[in-house]
Amino acid sequence: MLNVRRLLLLTEATERGSLTAAAEALGMTTSAASQQMSLLEQEAGQPLIERLPRGIRPTPAGAALAGRGQAIRRELRAAQADLDSFTALDQGTLRLGSFPTASASLLPLALTRFRRRHTGIRIEVRAGVLAELREMLHTGEVEQGLLWDYEWNRLDDPALSLTHLLDDPTVLVVPADSPLRTHPSVRLGDLADQEWIIRADNHPVADVLRRSCRQAGFEPHIAYSSHDYQEAQAMVAAGLGIALAPRLALTSRRSDVRLLPFASDVPAPTRRILLARATARPATPPAQAMARVLRTVAQRFTAPDLHRAQLGAVRRG
């Protein structure tokens, strides 16, 4: 049987392209790493790496074993996370994953409520994009994660248990003095001649804009690519264009912009906000308590009063 520690060494060396770097990452000397690699090759009965003038390159057999090593490493991390999670509700650490919109709206209120009730629990929050958050959940780096999806990219991962917290509709962001502000609802097809503020770097909301406009029969004219929602609001307020955004991303709305709802038959999608955990690992008492708090807090972000307040000032403007 192959030695697991040596297999993990091969995995690190393959990922880093260097036996020296792998040794450093695993707290070994280079000579010890070289010796362990030679022993692994003896166990495998064939060469697993090619030693280059600078670094290493895996052989086909080495690459195949390194792939297995990645899966083994993931399970070992998950096993350690399981051991670390067996704690009472009055002590220990709860590790959460989140994305920027949730971290600026839903999560702070939940954290405040949770910490008020459970003062002995230490909370760590890791931020990331969707793929990173899913990997954190798989490896056990976080116990729970706030995720999102749209109709065309539904999360279908049997390794994750999902709880639907709320629906987050797309709204239109316009300047406070826009003639559109007097409309009770807007049809996307009537906005074909508008200039648009879009999210940069292939942000999911950029995909939402392009998909929605194409369904309405036009390609959007892009005036500016922003890197966050506050920047997008500022450009809208300056009259550079209008924007689409999830309602939850605009809980801190500028006074010089207005949020308008779309007509019910408009192809402006709603995203789901989800709470996820690894299916294979039972939720610890702190995680169960946090899930209850998040479900309660989520109701405040779906209440009609909040919806009216955020879309508000349309007529007051």
Side-chain angles (χ1 to χ4, degrees), residues 5-307:
R5 290 181 61 83
R6 293 168 188 157
L7 183 55
L8 295 179
L9 172 63
L10 171 64
T11 302
E12 290 286 342
T14 299
E15 292 175 344
R16 299 171 185 273
S18 166
L19 196 56
T20 299
E24 182 178 348
L26 296 175
M28 305 170 63
T29 64
T30 302
S31 60
S34 180
Q35 182 182 31
Q36 291 298 309
M37 186 61 66
S38 296
L39 290 173
L40 181 61
E41 290 180 320
Q42 291 178 25
E43 292 173 348
Q46 57 186 302
L48 299 175
I49 61 172
E50 298 177 26
R51 289 169 170 79
L52 306 174
R54 300 186 67 173
I56 63 97
R57 178 172 57 208
T59 64
L65 274 185
R68 296 287 186 180
Q70 290 175 333
I72 292 171
R73 183 178 58 192
R74 172 186 289 183
E75 288 302 315
L76 288 173
R77 288 175 177 174
Q80 185 61 54
D82 285 345
L83 292 175
D84 293 341
S85 69
F86 287 105
T87 180
L89 191 52
D90 60 349
Q91 61 181 347
T93 299
L94 176 61
R95 297 179 302 278
L96 299 172
S98 184
F99 59 98
T101 299
S103 297
S105 56
L106 179 69
L107 187 56
L109 182 56
L111 291 175
T112 300
R113 290 191 176 192
F114 183 91
R115 292 171 66 87
R116 192 178 298 145
R117 299 172 186 175
H118 309 294
T119 57
I121 301 295
R122 180 173 179 268
I123 300 176
E124 296 178 358
V125 180
R126 309 286 174 85
V129 297
L130 188 60
E132 293 169 340
L133 293 169
R134 291 177 66 177
E135 180 67 13
M136 291 179 199
L137 286 162
H138 290 151
T139 63
E141 185 178 348
V142 298
E143 186 175 352
Q144 291 176 311
L146 287 165
L147 309 179
W148 54 265
D149 69 8
Y150 284 100
E151 183 180 0
W152 61 84
N153 69 341
R154 290 297 189 215
L155 285 173
D156 184 16
D157 188 342
L160 296 180
S161 176
L162 303 175
T163 298
H164 179 205
L165 293 177
L166 71 149
D167 288 326
D168 189 18
T170 298
V171 296
L172 182 68
V173 188
V174 302
D177 59 355
S178 170
L180 293 170
R181 73 188 190 281
T182 60
H183 294 204
S185 62
V186 180
R187 299 187 62 82
L188 195 58
D190 295 335
L191 305 175
D193 294 333
Q194 297 283 337
E195 297 290 328
W196 292 88
I197 311 299
I198 198 170
R199 288 300 302 269
D201 304 325
N202 297 317
H203 191 277
V205 173
D207 188 30
V208 168
L209 174 64
R210 290 194 170 95
R211 284 175 179 269
S212 299
C213 291
R214 286 167 187 164
Q215 280 188 270
F218 68 94
E219 285 289 333
H221 302 144
I222 306 303
Y224 187 79
S225 297
S226 69
H227 292 277
D228 60 54
Y229 289 110
Q230 285 300 313
E231 183 184 6
Q233 289 189 66
M235 293 299 103
V236 170
L240 194 60
I242 60 178
L244 293 186
R247 190 182 68 195
L248 201 62
L250 300 168
T251 50
S252 298
R253 179 179 62 82
R254 292 173 59 107
S255 61
D256 48 6
V257 300
R258 297 291 180 265
L259 311 184
L260 307 182
F262 283 102
S264 59
D265 59 343
V266 168
T270 294
R271 68 175 179 177
R272 299 189 306 171
I273 306 300
L274 308 164
L275 179 64
R277 65 172 179 83
T279 305
R281 292 190 291 275
T284 61
Q288 293 174 23
M290 177 57 80
R292 289 192 294 269
V293 170
L294 281 166
R295 287 194 296 269
T296 300
V297 168
Q299 294 175 7
R300 293 191 55 177
F301 288 86
T302 57
D305 289 344
L306 175 70
H307 184 63

